[in-house]
Amino acid sequence: MAANSTTTTPIQIDLSLLTIVEAALIVFGMLVLGRIVRKIIIRKSKETSLTWIINEDTADIVFRMFVLGGIIWALYLLGIMSYGLGPTTVGNIAFAMGFFYFSYLIAKKSRDYMIISSGKKAKPEVIVKAKIFYYVFITIAFFMTLSFAGVSTELSALLAAAGITGIVLGFSAQTVVSNFISGVFMYFDKPLQIGDAVKVEDITGVVEDIRILSTRIRAWDGTLIRIPNERLFNSNIVNFMRYPVRRVDLEVGIAYAADAERAVEIIKRVLDDIPLVLVEPEPLAYVDRLDDSAVVIAIRAWAPSEKWFDVRIRIIHDVKKALDEAGIEIPFPQRVNWFANELRVKIEEPPEEENEKGQA
């Protein structure tokens, strides 16, 4: 009875001079061809309106593809790529790595273009959409890379292990997941945009960046504040720039002896003379209430949101100046105290000895 035997065919690596020269010529030829194609793409980018596709970055990617393709072709010719590594070969792994590398370049370029094409002030939904596209593209390219590498049979086991790992990480990274989900919800809710002046709880400033896990706000004093998206999503957000116009609310107190109707007319004339105060809705000035020390006049004026602070400062300055010129007093708080009994003050004279010393 003959024993069963298995034979393994060794990988033949051809390192003859002719083969080496042929491999070198392939690499050189692909390098030259890549440079030619790169120059053609750059020249065409100056003649077409599709600059987001045909540009210098695309030319560099194509040039790298030619060079990498030439190297892989030469290694196949030499027989190195046929060398086995477990269930796959060196060639499959090299092709898979090259595929993932160029997929990464394309995903990154597409993400940057989506953000840049939206203008200098990119909207949050555009940024989130670009980042989601980037991560989805990279994830798909990763699993395709595993297939190209020849490990598709191990893919199911890998996914099972990834599922178990995901469950473990989910319990240990609940905050990260919560911030990510809150970021996705904010994408659909759209409560703020980059460049908006906002107030979140006790934090006020301008939105600098909106990311998947956090939002960055530049406070009025120039400091950067990072707010996790979960906290931001569950907070009351006051967006000062959401609408094109915003109302300025002020109160001015005048003395009881002053003419309130005249003061109101003066304030209305001041509002009419300020260019940035909108005519519609009409600015208002009226007696609002009677305080302990003053008659309070309320001022309501609408202004463009981006000029709200300038208009508020201008109104305060001009109203104060106009009331001073008209002789209308803006009183300070004062109080009159009444005593039930007559107030008596006792004055003590110094002793005689101290008087004599003082006279001496």
Side-chain angles (χ1 to χ4, degrees), residues 114-128:
M114 292 174 67
I115 296 175
I116 295 174
S117 62
S118 63
K120 295 182 179 180
K121 185 180 179 181
K123 296 182 178 180
E125 58 267 24
V126 175
I127 296 177
V128 173

Side-chain angles (χ1 to χ4, degrees), residues 57 118 142 169 181 257 265 285 327:
D57 292 337
S118 63
F142 172 74
L169 292 178
I181 295 175
E265 292 298 325

Side-chain angles (χ1 to χ4, degrees), residues 11-26:
I11 302 299
Q12 299 294 330
I13 299 178
D14 189 357
L15 295 180
S16 63
L17 180 61
L18 180 61
T19 306
I20 294 175
V21 172
E22 187 177 354
L25 289 176
I26 290 175

